[in-house]
């Protein structure tokens, strides 16, 4: 499946290699049926990213996913399966689904909110902000997180309650994006997510980009829900 994804411009060559390695690990650790959640996430996120009309600055939106994006969105899900002997098969599979639910909820919220959600508001400061800057939320984007969180779980009805954790992870991602992710501003005070000549660091940490925020928010949510699952 990796080769068709490259030809359809859903993955770069490096992204396809990362996805193949991840798929091999999932099949080896859990079985072929557990490939469906990440496949549904990949397809839905890639297709949403190609919808026209995205107002924003995310230089990766609408482009094929590279290996960094593949690992930042799915690496922790695979890590949960690697810990199966430590935490038990059932708990590991539940965490695997939660991790993908978080990534899917965040992607749906970002992609649909940026296109159809109107002007976003900073989730911490509750001030209007430019589209495409992390930490912004809109009503429609928040609603879109619900079907996004459910999508990786559709083949496992008993796991539907885990979508609540996926939605929580999306909110944590927005909070971290508003507080920790690097923001840059121009002379007029306009905020940008990506560094460029003439822009100054206006908040967050320069090394904290969106991929690292995705990993951190996913990890925090997994640690929050682990006691309830275990």
């Amino acid at each position: 499946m990796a080769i068709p994804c490259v030809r359809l411009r859903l993955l770069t060559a490096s992204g396809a290699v990362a996805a193949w390695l991840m798929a091999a690990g999932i099949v080896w650790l859990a079985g072929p049926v557990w490939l469906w959640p990440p496949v549904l996430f990949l397809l839905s996120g890639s297709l949403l990213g190609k919808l026209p009309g995205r107002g924003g600055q995310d230089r990766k939106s609408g482009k094929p996913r590279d290996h960094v994006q593949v690992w930042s969105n799915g690496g922790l899900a695979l890590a949960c399966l690697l810990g199966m002997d430590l935490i038990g098969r059932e708990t590991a599979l539940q965490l695997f689904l939660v991790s993908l639910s978080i990534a899917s909820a965040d992607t749906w919220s970002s992609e649909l909110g940026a296109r159809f959600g109107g002007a976003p508001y900073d989730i911490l400061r509750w001030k209007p902000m430019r589209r495409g800057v992390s930490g912004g939320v809109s009503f429609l984007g928040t609603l879109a997180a619900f079907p996004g969180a459910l999508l990786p779980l559709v083949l496992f009805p008993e796991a539907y309650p885990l979508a609540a954790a996926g939605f929580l992870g999306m909110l944590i991602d927005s909070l971290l994006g508003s507080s920790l992710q690097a923001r840059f501003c121009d002379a007029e005070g306009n905020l940008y997510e990506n560094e460029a000549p003439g822009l100054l660091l206006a908040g967050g940490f320069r090394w904290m980009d969106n991929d690292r925020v995705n990993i951190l928010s996913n990890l925090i949510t997994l640690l929050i829900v682990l006691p309830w699952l275990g």
Side-chain angles (χ1 to χ4, degrees), residues 192-226:
Y192 299 85
E193 182 165 308
N194 302 311
E195 188 172 10
L199 300 182
L200 299 176
L201 183 67
F205 300 95
R206 191 180 299 273
W207 52 268
M208 181 65 77
D209 59 13
N210 186 250
D211 292 319
R212 291 184 173 93
V213 165
N214 288 340
I215 295 172
L216 184 58
S217 61
N218 203 304
L219 177 61
I220 290 173
T221 310
L222 291 175
L223 292 175
I224 289 174
V225 302
L226 178 58

Short mmCIF file of all heavy atoms in Angstrom, two decimals, residues 192-226:
data_model
loop_
_atom_site.label_atom_id
_atom_site.label_comp_id
_atom_site.label_asym_id
_atom_site.label_seq_id
_atom_site.Cartn_x
_atom_site.Cartn_y
_atom_site.Cartn_z
N TYR A 192 2.89 34.31 13.23
CA TYR A 192 3.11 33.26 12.25
C TYR A 192 3.63 32.03 12.98
O TYR A 192 4.30 32.13 14.00
CB TYR A 192 4.13 33.70 11.19
CG TYR A 192 3.70 34.90 10.40
CD1 TYR A 192 3.93 36.19 10.88
CD2 TYR A 192 3.07 34.75 9.16
CE1 TYR A 192 3.54 37.30 10.16
CE2 TYR A 192 2.67 35.87 8.43
CZ TYR A 192 2.91 37.13 8.94
OH TYR A 192 2.52 38.24 8.21
N GLU A 193 3.32 30.86 12.41
CA GLU A 193 3.76 29.61 13.02
C GLU A 193 5.15 29.22 12.59
O GLU A 193 5.89 28.57 13.33
CB GLU A 193 2.76 28.49 12.70
CG GLU A 193 3.11 27.17 13.34
CD GLU A 193 1.95 26.20 13.31
OE1 GLU A 193 0.84 26.57 13.73
OE2 GLU A 193 2.15 25.08 12.83
N ASN A 194 5.54 29.61 11.39
CA ASN A 194 6.83 29.19 10.84
C ASN A 194 7.81 30.35 10.81
O ASN A 194 7.46 31.49 10.48
CB ASN A 194 6.63 28.64 9.41
CG ASN A 194 5.65 27.48 9.39
OD1 ASN A 194 5.77 26.56 10.18
ND2 ASN A 194 4.68 27.53 8.49
N GLU A 195 9.06 30.05 11.15
CA GLU A 195 10.09 31.09 11.16
C GLU A 195 10.47 31.47 9.74
O GLU A 195 10.52 30.64 8.83
CB GLU A 195 11.31 30.58 11.91
CG GLU A 195 12.36 31.63 12.16
CD GLU A 195 13.47 31.15 13.08
OE1 GLU A 195 13.52 29.94 13.37
OE2 GLU A 195 14.27 32.00 13.51
N ALA A 196 10.72 32.76 9.55
CA ALA A 196 11.12 33.27 8.24
C ALA A 196 11.95 34.54 8.46
O ALA A 196 11.90 35.13 9.54
CB ALA A 196 9.88 33.58 7.39
N PRO A 197 12.73 34.95 7.45
CA PRO A 197 13.52 36.18 7.60
C PRO A 197 12.64 37.37 7.96
O PRO A 197 11.56 37.56 7.40
CB PRO A 197 14.14 36.35 6.21
CG PRO A 197 14.19 34.96 5.64
CD PRO A 197 12.97 34.27 6.17
N GLY A 198 13.09 38.16 8.91
CA GLY A 198 12.35 39.35 9.32
C GLY A 198 11.37 39.11 10.44
O GLY A 198 10.77 40.06 10.95
N LEU A 199 11.18 37.85 10.84
CA LEU A 199 10.26 37.53 11.93
C LEU A 199 11.02 37.30 13.23
O LEU A 199 12.13 36.77 13.22
CB LEU A 199 9.44 36.28 11.60
CG LEU A 199 8.56 36.35 10.34
CD1 LEU A 199 7.78 35.06 10.19
CD2 LEU A 199 7.63 37.54 10.39
N LEU A 200 10.42 37.71 14.33
CA LEU A 200 11.02 37.55 15.65
C LEU A 200 10.21 36.56 16.47
O LEU A 200 8.98 36.45 16.30
CB LEU A 200 11.07 38.90 16.38
CG LEU A 200 11.88 40.01 15.72
CD1 LEU A 200 11.74 41.32 16.51
CD2 LEU A 200 13.35 39.62 15.60
N LEU A 201 10.90 35.83 17.35
CA LEU A 201 10.22 34.90 18.23
C LEU A 201 9.33 35.68 19.19
O LEU A 201 9.80 36.55 19.93
CB LEU A 201 11.24 34.07 19.01
CG LEU A 201 10.68 32.99 19.94
CD1 LEU A 201 10.01 31.89 19.12
CD2 LEU A 201 11.80 32.39 20.81
N ALA A 202 8.03 35.39 19.18
CA ALA A 202 7.07 36.13 19.99
C ALA A 202 6.55 35.32 21.17
O ALA A 202 5.91 35.86 22.06
CB ALA A 202 5.89 36.59 19.13
N GLY A 203 6.81 34.02 21.19
CA GLY A 203 6.31 33.19 22.26
C GLY A 203 6.69 31.74 22.05
O GLY A 203 7.05 31.33 20.94
N GLY A 204 6.65 30.97 23.12
CA GLY A 204 6.98 29.56 23.03
C GLY A 204 8.48 29.34 22.92
O GLY A 204 9.29 30.25 23.12
N PHE A 205 8.84 28.13 22.58
CA PHE A 205 10.24 27.75 22.44
C PHE A 205 10.56 27.52 20.96
O PHE A 205 9.81 26.83 20.27
CB PHE A 205 10.54 26.47 23.24
CG PHE A 205 10.28 26.62 24.71
CD1 PHE A 205 9.07 26.24 25.27
CD2 PHE A 205 11.26 27.16 25.55
CE1 PHE A 205 8.84 26.37 26.63
CE2 PHE A 205 11.03 27.29 26.91
CZ PHE A 205 9.82 26.91 27.45
N ARG A 206 11.67 28.06 20.53
CA ARG A 206 12.02 28.00 19.11
C ARG A 206 12.07 26.56 18.59
O ARG A 206 11.73 26.29 17.44
CB ARG A 206 13.35 28.70 18.87
CG ARG A 206 13.69 28.92 17.41
CD ARG A 206 15.03 29.63 17.27
NE ARG A 206 15.02 30.93 17.91
CZ ARG A 206 14.63 32.04 17.31
NH1 ARG A 206 14.22 32.02 16.06
NH2 ARG A 206 14.67 33.19 17.97
N TRP A 207 12.49 25.63 19.44
CA TRP A 207 12.65 24.23 19.01
C TRP A 207 11.34 23.45 19.07
O TRP A 207 11.27 22.32 18.59
CB TRP A 207 13.69 23.54 19.88
CG TRP A 207 13.42 23.68 21.36
CD1 TRP A 207 13.90 24.65 22.19
CD2 TRP A 207 12.60 22.83 22.17
NE1 TRP A 207 13.44 24.46 23.47
CE2 TRP A 207 12.63 23.36 23.48
CE3 TRP A 207 11.84 21.69 21.92
CZ2 TRP A 207 11.93 22.78 24.54
CZ3 TRP A 207 11.15 21.10 22.97
CH2 TRP A 207 11.19 21.65 24.26
N MET A 208 10.30 24.04 19.65
CA MET A 208 9.02 23.33 19.80
C MET A 208 8.14 23.60 18.59
O MET A 208 7.47 24.62 18.48
CB MET A 208 8.32 23.77 21.08
CG MET A 208 6.99 23.06 21.34
SD MET A 208 7.15 21.29 21.64
CE MET A 208 7.72 21.29 23.35
N ASP A 209 8.15 22.67 17.63
CA ASP A 209 7.32 22.82 16.45
C ASP A 209 6.06 21.96 16.59
O ASP A 209 5.82 21.32 17.62
CB ASP A 209 8.09 22.46 15.19
CG ASP A 209 8.62 21.01 15.21
OD1 ASP A 209 8.18 20.21 16.06
OD2 ASP A 209 9.47 20.67 14.36
N ASN A 210 5.25 21.94 15.55
CA ASN A 210 3.97 21.25 15.61
C ASN A 210 4.13 19.75 15.78
O ASN A 210 3.34 19.10 16.47
CB ASN A 210 3.15 21.56 14.36
CG ASN A 210 1.75 20.99 14.42
OD1 ASN A 210 1.42 20.04 13.71
ND2 ASN A 210 0.92 21.55 15.28
N ASP A 211 5.16 19.17 15.17
CA ASP A 211 5.37 17.73 15.29
C ASP A 211 5.70 17.36 16.74
O ASP A 211 5.20 16.35 17.26
CB ASP A 211 6.50 17.27 14.37
CG ASP A 211 6.13 17.38 12.90
OD1 ASP A 211 4.99 17.05 12.56
OD2 ASP A 211 6.98 17.81 12.10
N ARG A 212 6.52 18.17 17.41
CA ARG A 212 6.85 17.89 18.81
C ARG A 212 5.65 18.10 19.72
O ARG A 212 5.47 17.37 20.69
CB ARG A 212 8.03 18.75 19.24
CG ARG A 212 9.35 18.37 18.57
CD ARG A 212 10.51 19.19 19.10
NE ARG A 212 11.78 18.70 18.57
CZ ARG A 212 12.37 19.15 17.49
NH1 ARG A 212 11.80 20.13 16.78
NH2 ARG A 212 13.52 18.65 17.07
N VAL A 213 4.82 19.09 19.39
CA VAL A 213 3.59 19.30 20.16
C VAL A 213 2.67 18.09 20.02
O VAL A 213 2.05 17.64 20.99
CB VAL A 213 2.88 20.59 19.70
CG1 VAL A 213 1.43 20.63 20.22
CG2 VAL A 213 3.63 21.81 20.20
N ASN A 214 2.58 17.54 18.81
CA ASN A 214 1.75 16.36 18.60
C ASN A 214 2.22 15.19 19.46
O ASN A 214 1.41 14.49 20.09
CB ASN A 214 1.79 15.95 17.12
CG ASN A 214 1.02 16.90 16.23
OD1 ASN A 214 0.16 17.65 16.70
ND2 ASN A 214 1.31 16.88 14.96
N ILE A 215 3.52 14.97 19.49
CA ILE A 215 4.06 13.87 20.29
C ILE A 215 3.79 14.11 21.78
O ILE A 215 3.34 13.21 22.50
CB ILE A 215 5.57 13.73 20.04
CG1 ILE A 215 5.84 13.31 18.59
CG2 ILE A 215 6.18 12.70 20.99
CD1 ILE A 215 7.31 13.33 18.21
N LEU A 216 4.05 15.33 22.25
CA LEU A 216 3.91 15.63 23.67
C LEU A 216 2.46 15.54 24.13
O LEU A 216 2.17 14.97 25.18
CB LEU A 216 4.48 17.02 23.96
CG LEU A 216 4.50 17.45 25.43
CD1 LEU A 216 5.30 16.46 26.27
CD2 LEU A 216 5.08 18.86 25.55
N SER A 217 1.54 16.08 23.35
CA SER A 217 0.13 16.03 23.73
C SER A 217 -0.37 14.59 23.73
O SER A 217 -1.17 14.19 24.60
CB SER A 217 -0.72 16.88 22.78
OG SER A 217 -0.62 16.41 21.44
N ASN A 218 0.09 13.80 22.77
CA ASN A 218 -0.30 12.39 22.71
C ASN A 218 0.21 11.65 23.95
O ASN A 218 -0.54 10.90 24.59
CB ASN A 218 0.28 11.77 21.43
CG ASN A 218 -0.47 10.55 20.98
OD1 ASN A 218 -0.61 9.59 21.74
ND2 ASN A 218 -0.93 10.56 19.74
N LEU A 219 1.47 11.88 24.30
CA LEU A 219 2.07 11.22 25.45
C LEU A 219 1.36 11.60 26.75
O LEU A 219 1.05 10.74 27.59
CB LEU A 219 3.55 11.56 25.54
CG LEU A 219 4.31 10.99 26.73
CD1 LEU A 219 4.27 9.47 26.72
CD2 LEU A 219 5.76 11.49 26.73
N ILE A 220 1.08 12.89 26.93
CA ILE A 220 0.41 13.35 28.15
C ILE A 220 -0.96 12.70 28.28
O ILE A 220 -1.35 12.23 29.35
CB ILE A 220 0.28 14.88 28.14
CG1 ILE A 220 1.67 15.52 28.33
CG2 ILE A 220 -0.67 15.36 29.24
CD1 ILE A 220 1.67 17.02 28.16
N THR A 221 -1.71 12.64 27.18
CA THR A 221 -3.05 12.05 27.23
C THR A 221 -2.98 10.56 27.54
O THR A 221 -3.79 10.04 28.32
CB THR A 221 -3.78 12.27 25.90
OG1 THR A 221 -3.70 13.65 25.53
CG2 THR A 221 -5.24 11.86 26.01
N LEU A 222 -2.03 9.86 26.95
CA LEU A 222 -1.88 8.43 27.23
C LEU A 222 -1.58 8.20 28.71
O LEU A 222 -2.12 7.27 29.33
CB LEU A 222 -0.76 7.84 26.37
CG LEU A 222 -1.04 7.73 24.87
CD1 LEU A 222 0.20 7.25 24.14
CD2 LEU A 222 -2.23 6.81 24.59
N LEU A 223 -0.73 9.04 29.29
CA LEU A 223 -0.41 8.89 30.71
C LEU A 223 -1.62 9.21 31.59
O LEU A 223 -1.80 8.62 32.66
CB LEU A 223 0.76 9.81 31.07
CG LEU A 223 2.10 9.44 30.46
CD1 LEU A 223 3.15 10.49 30.78
CD2 LEU A 223 2.56 8.05 30.92
N ILE A 224 -2.48 10.13 31.13
CA ILE A 224 -3.68 10.46 31.90
C ILE A 224 -4.67 9.30 31.92
O ILE A 224 -5.26 8.97 32.95
CB ILE A 224 -4.35 11.73 31.32
CG1 ILE A 224 -3.49 12.96 31.62
CG2 ILE A 224 -5.76 11.91 31.90
CD1 ILE A 224 -3.99 14.23 30.96
N VAL A 225 -4.86 8.66 30.76
CA VAL A 225 -5.89 7.63 30.66
C VAL A 225 -5.39 6.25 31.08
O VAL A 225 -6.20 5.36 31.35
CB VAL A 225 -6.48 7.54 29.23
CG1 VAL A 225 -7.05 8.87 28.80
CG2 VAL A 225 -5.43 7.06 28.24
N LEU A 226 -4.07 6.07 31.16
CA LEU A 226 -3.53 4.75 31.50
C LEU A 226 -4.07 4.19 32.81
O LEU A 226 -4.44 3.00 32.86
CB LEU A 226 -2.00 4.80 31.53
CG LEU A 226 -1.30 3.50 31.91
CD1 LEU A 226 -1.67 2.37 30.97
CD2 LEU A 226 0.22 3.69 31.93
#
